[in-house]
Amino acid sequence: MSLHLEHLNPEQLAAVTLPDQHALILAGAGSGKTRVLTTRIAWLLKSGAVSPAGVLAVTFTNKAAREMLARLTAMLPVSPRGMWIGTFHGLCNRMLRAHHREAGLPQSFQILDTADQLAAVKRLLRGANVDEDRFPPKDMQYFFNARKEEGLRAGEVPVSDAIARRHVELYAAYDAQCQREGVADFAELLLRSYELLRNNEVLREHYASRFRHILVDEFQDTNRLQYRWIRLLAGTSARVFAVGDDDQSIYAFRGANVGNMAEFERDFGVQKVIRLEQNYRSHGNILDAANALIAHNRNRLGKNLWTATGEGERVRVYEGESDVEEARFLVEETQALAREGRRYADMAILYRSNAQSRVIEHALFGAGISYRVYGGLRFFERAEVKHALAYLRLAANADDDTAFLRVVNFPARGIGARTLENLQDAARARGASLHASIDALGGKAGGALAAFRALIGSMREQTRGLQLAETVEHVVARSGLVEHYRAERDGADRVENLSELVTAAAAFDVEEATAGLETGQGDVEAVPVDPLTAFLTHAALEAGEHQAGEGQDALQLMTVHSAKGLEFDAVFLTGLEEGLFPHEQSVMERDGLEEERRLAYVAITRARHRLYLSFAQTRMLHGQTRYNVPSRFFDEIPEGLTKWLTPRFAGRRRAAVPSFAPAQAAPKLKGFGRPEGAGGFRIGQNVTHNKFGAGVIVDAEGHGNDARVQVNFGRQGVKWLAVGVAKLQAA
């Protein structure tokens, strides 16, 4: 069968037909790397350079492995089944199954997925009488996995204090428990396989002589232990063909080490670095914007994407007065594209943080546009949001048994399944709700339930007379959900979503202020309801409507992280504001800003034909209006590549007062009687400073000439300045 080498461009052909040597292939976005990788394997087999049993190919997903096998089957006259093709975990599992005795595992060892592993950690902590408030199970799970990914057993982990010593003791106990039960978690598969090769010279030499060619996809996403495993497996005779893109390394939070690419080049003495720079996805202006942005990163291996399809349209930029206005623009523009004949499924709205989706979803809901949240749940369907809504439902109606069962022991308060069974029996016997039947149980279980009843009662009493957003904020805070999720290593997004629920309530209150709090449809007489009940009804309706069915044309919503590997005709990259994208935490982390820039690069290169960048002068976060400075990324993209749909940086030339919230149209400074109390300055006002440049006033304290204002100067940071001394002027 033909490998269709004539269809490859010169760089792709050079990579596919590379002689017997190590190689690093820098494959830019949309450059056909999967085709190159698969054709390289087929060329090696067809040319007789290696037999199927001598090839090992590593992918990062099972889907990619299946796709590679399918392509090879279509390209070759012989079956590729003798090859080892799979993910790191899949290949390590295969090796451990074949050598379970040498690895110290039973032949039928079982694999713990993430949920099973967490259950095992919880069981370990309970058995050791460990206080889960001091040592949260998810934190311990993260600690165990992180040490394994560093290649460290408990005896090799440095100990600096009593807390660290306890972590290490629990790590050792967890390892012993898994060994005793004959199970292995995902991180253990890789570490045990690495130790097997490291400690067994005979096996190491066997595999080093067997696998003549090792090919690794998405090399920029490998962690340190995965790279060390590859080095051991390669030995001194195998040839390693590494394919990746350092500009698309966005998984540092998962342990990915972009430095592995440069280390590979040094460690293996790579003589051939091939750059796949011709892009088959995007038009020229989109690629030029991506190239200009990523060029600001240091220590890149370097490449420049180009296309033969022409410049195409310029990048469209939109500045909204608020996040609500931004969402309205997204709705109108996607509808316009649909009228032109484009499918919603070929459009994607991308955001940096999951919490941003709530305002967008609300606008889509109102417009009747079906959408699908890719790689995640719609806002009101997320577990942490549903937990918070359950507490709110109980505050509104303590007899809501569904809400009661959802949160009576979340966060954990010592109320077990047997206690709930007894409570349900008592409720059935009385014909009453669970809440009303709590006094039927005595002892420790009854005491825990009574404490929960008191919590709900205090929520109800303490929120009387409060505004809706204040009620939501109070209930979320008292529920313990924020503290629970803050204690989790991966809980930051969940805490942001809880804050966004407060924002949702504030926005709902504003919307309902003019329309009136009513329910009813058609000719049915409207019935006034209280704000909390109206908001809960709104949340339930939005959770259940406009969910796109299988195969239905639907707009795609997702985080930038989820978008990697995908492509769309039209891409809307939203929320490009300092502190949001790039994220405020990135500025404080080593190389954090560079990873944010790589994230933006990934987002931009998802677009085939049309790219939109948008930001808002004001955004409601945590129930408060936030005044924004446009992202520094706008300054890193040449103006000639962009088409501004609104005046460029209009928000820097006028006070950014949210037009959608009448109650906040003239926000007061803390400690001031009126917004003009700080020498004429006010929150939201655009100002300039002779040293720090343009900024936005975000907070203030004090009085008169003794007042201080807090100004967000974008890349120069957020600074407190004395009004009477600072050379601050209105923009």
Side-chain angles (χ1 to χ4, degrees):
M1 289 187 181
S2 171
L3 302 183
H4 299 293
L5 299 183
E6 68 277 8
H7 295 158
L8 302 176
N9 67 40
E11 291 73 27
Q12 291 174 331
L13 182 62
V16 166
T17 60
L18 194 70
D20 192 27
Q21 59 183 272
H22 301 302
L24 177 60
I25 313 300
L26 289 179
S31 63
K33 73 174 179 64
T34 303
R35 182 182 188 184
V36 167
L37 196 59
T38 308
T39 309
R40 169 68 173 175
I41 297 173
W43 184 82
L44 288 170
L45 296 173
K46 193 170 184 180
S47 66
V50 67
S51 67
V55 173
L56 181 141
V58 189
T59 66
F60 264 78
T61 65
N62 289 314
K63 179 182 177 183
R66 289 192 297 269
E67 182 182 349
M68 186 177 292
L69 274 171
R71 290 193 184 194
L72 285 169
T73 301
M75 295 170 74
L76 294 169
V78 295
S79 171
R81 294 293 173 181
M83 295 183 292
W84 280 33
I85 297 180
T87 64
F88 278 101
H89 293 132
L91 295 175
C92 289
N93 172 62
R94 184 169 179 174
M95 184 178 290
L96 292 173
R97 296 289 177 191
H99 308 287
H100 63 91
R101 288 190 185 87
E102 294 88 340
L105 289 168
Q107 185 174 10
S108 59
F109 73 87
Q110 299 299 305
I111 299 174
L112 298 176
D113 63 18
T114 303
D116 290 338
Q117 184 192 21
L118 181 60
V121 171
K122 289 179 177 178
R123 184 157 43 84
L124 170 80
L125 298 179
R126 284 196 297 271
N129 293 317
V130 172
D131 182 356
E132 292 190 8
D133 289 332
R134 293 188 63 200
F135 300 92
K138 279 203 171 183
D139 276 15
M140 298 310 302
Q141 180 184 31
Y142 176 89
F143 177 81
F144 300 161
N145 290 340
R147 300 297 79 76
K148 290 184 181 186
E149 288 172 0
E150 293 170 359
L152 300 175
R153 291 295 182 188
E156 301 166 318
V157 177
V159 174
S160 57
D161 53 40
I163 296 293
R165 183 175 298 107
R166 188 56 172 152
H167 276 78
V168 170
E169 291 170 352
L170 292 170
Y171 179 21
Y174 171 74
D175 261 0
Q177 174 179 292
C178 290
Q179 186 67 29
R180 185 170 60 252
E181 297 175 1
V183 296
D185 54 54
F186 286 143
E188 181 70 19
L189 292 175
L190 183 61
L191 178 55
R192 188 72 66 110
S193 180
Y194 169 76
E195 291 171 337
L196 177 66
L197 292 173
R198 183 192 62 189
N199 301 334
N200 193 312
E201 184 179 357
V202 174
L203 273 178
R204 185 169 67 250
E205 290 181 354
H206 163 73
Y207 282 109
S209 62
R210 171 180 174 169
F211 295 124
R212 309 302 300 167
H213 288 272
I214 299 174
L215 303 95
V216 186
D217 193 12
E218 303 285 7
F219 199 83
Q220 78 279 354
D221 292 334
T222 54
N223 62 34
R224 294 188 182 279
L225 185 58
Q226 287 166 341
Y227 177 56
R228 289 163 65 186
W229 183 80
I230 291 167
R231 287 187 62 183
L232 274 182
L233 202 58
T236 58
S237 55
R239 298 294 179 241
V240 179
F241 187 87
V243 182
D245 183 1
D246 57 326
D247 290 334
Q248 294 190 75
S249 180
I250 60 174
Y251 295 120
F253 67 96
R254 294 182 187 169
N257 178 32
V258 67
N260 284 348
M261 298 187 77
E263 285 189 35
F264 169 68
E265 193 175 355
R266 291 193 302 268
D267 294 345
F268 284 79
V270 174
Q271 298 177 347
K272 195 70 173 177
V273 176
I274 297 177
R275 289 170 169 78
L276 304 183
E277 298 173 304
Q278 183 173 359
N279 177 283
Y280 294 92
R281 175 188 301 156
S282 307
H283 282 141
N285 282 329
I286 294 172
L287 297 180
D288 289 345
N291 288 331
L293 180 73
I294 203 65
H296 287 78
N297 274 4
R298 307 179 308 274
N299 303 319
R300 294 173 61 230
L301 295 175
K303 65 182 181 313
N304 204 58
L305 298 178
W306 63 276
T307 180
T309 60
E311 291 182 351
E313 302 173 356
R314 287 187 292 167
V315 177
R316 289 166 165 80
V317 183
Y318 176 81
E319 175 180 3
E321 290 189 2
S322 67
D323 51 349
V324 174
E325 194 65 36
E326 180 190 42
R328 187 178 299 128
F329 164 75
L330 297 174
V331 166
E332 292 172 353
E333 199 66 19
T334 53
Q335 287 176 324
L337 290 173
R339 286 194 296 270
E340 293 173 7
R342 296 182 189 269
R343 298 171 63 243
Y344 281 115
D346 292 327
M347 310 175 209
I349 296 176
L350 309 183
Y351 34 81
R352 176 64 181 84
S353 167
N354 265 312
Q356 289 172 250
S357 78
R358 202 273 312 166
V359 174
I360 299 170
E361 288 186 55
H362 180 60
L364 294 172
F365 174 85
I369 298 176
S370 293
Y371 65 92
R372 182 177 292 107
V373 178
Y374 183 93
L377 295 171
R378 296 146 65 89
F379 180 79
F380 285 112
E381 294 171 349
R382 293 168 190 162
E384 61 276 14
V385 174
K386 290 179 75 68
H387 287 326
L389 290 172
Y391 276 104
L392 289 164
R393 284 164 56 184
L394 288 174
N397 172 21
D399 294 326
D400 185 334
D401 282 357
T402 301
F404 184 97
L405 288 171
R406 184 177 187 93
V407 295
V408 65
N409 197 43
F410 193 93
R413 47 179 61 89
I415 299 173
R418 179 60 62 84
T419 297
L420 292 178
E421 287 177 11
N422 293 338
L423 180 61
Q424 287 171 307
D425 289 342
R428 277 191 294 269
R430 290 183 172 190
S433 70
L434 298 175
H435 177 270
S437 305
I438 286 175
D439 59 1
L441 274 67
K444 183 179 178 182
L449 286 168
F452 178 70
R453 178 175 59 189
L455 172 65
I456 299 302
S458 69
M459 286 179 177
R460 186 182 305 108
E461 289 301 317
Q462 292 170 10
T463 55
R464 291 188 191 279
L466 295 183
Q467 296 293 319
L468 175 61
E470 295 172 329
T471 296
V472 174
E473 186 173 27
H474 178 85
V475 170
V476 168
R478 286 294 312 279
S479 69
L481 291 172
V482 174
E483 290 76 11
H484 172 81
Y485 289 121
R486 275 183 180 154
E488 294 184 352
R489 288 282 182 178
D490 57 352
D493 268 359
R494 296 184 185 275
V495 173
E496 282 191 7
N497 286 333
L498 290 173
S499 295
E500 183 60 22
L501 184 64
V502 179
T503 300
F508 178 80
D509 224 1
V510 170
E511 291 174 1
E512 293 298 296
T514 55
L517 294 170
E518 296 179 345
T519 61
Q521 297 179 352
D523 296 329
V524 180
E525 184 178 354
V527 180
V529 295
D530 68 275
L532 179 56
T533 300
F535 177 65
L536 292 171
T537 301
H538 158 79
L541 290 174
E542 285 215 3
E545 292 292 329
H546 296 294
Q547 178 62 44
E550 196 65 33
Q552 181 181 352
D553 184 31
L555 187 63
Q556 308 295 300
L557 271 64
M558 66 193 74
T559 63
V560 178
H561 279 103
S562 297
K564 188 171 181 293
L566 304 176
E567 57 185 74
F568 305 91
D569 283 348
V571 167
F572 297 80
L573 179 55
T574 65
L576 280 163
E577 300 137 23
E578 285 294 308
L580 186 56
F581 201 2
H583 198 278
E584 55 195 353
Q585 291 181 346
S586 70
V587 180
M588 298 180 286
E589 296 174 355
R590 184 172 178 266
D591 297 328
L593 182 57
E594 297 216 345
E595 178 140 340
E596 290 292 297
R597 197 174 279 114
R598 292 195 293 268
L599 263 176
Y601 176 85
V602 166
I604 289 171
T605 54
R606 300 309 94 197
R608 297 190 193 106
H609 308 304
R610 188 175 289 188
L611 172 66
Y612 296 82
L613 308 178
S614 66
F615 65 102
Q617 296 170 18
T618 62
R619 187 175 298 275
M620 287 192 72
L621 290 174
H622 319 304
Q624 301 293 321
T625 300
R626 166 173 166 167
Y627 300 87
N628 304 314
V629 172
S631 171
R632 69 189 70 196
F633 296 156
F634 286 112
D635 295 328
E636 298 175 357
I637 297 174
E639 284 192 48
L641 299 175
T642 60
K643 175 183 178 181
W644 283 73
L645 305 179
T646 49
R648 182 174 171 84
F649 297 144
R652 293 187 178 185
R653 294 192 293 273
R654 66 175 184 273
V657 177
S659 61
F660 62 94
Q664 298 179 359
K668 291 186 177 181
L669 299 172
K670 288 189 296 185
F672 288 78
R674 63 183 188 277
E676 296 78 22
F681 295 117
R682 66 181 184 279
I683 289 178
Q685 185 171 3
N686 293 271
V687 294
T688 59
H689 187 273
N690 61 342
K691 178 179 178 182
F692 304 124
V696 178
I697 296 178
V698 296
D699 203 352
E701 63 184 20
H703 298 272
N705 288 331
D706 295 328
R708 296 194 311 156
V709 292
Q710 188 182 44
V711 185
N712 184 342
F713 288 107
R715 69 178 62 195
Q716 297 295 331
V718 178
K719 303 180 186 300
W720 281 99
L721 300 172
V723 172
V725 178
K727 296 179 179 179
L728 205 61
Q729 295 180 336

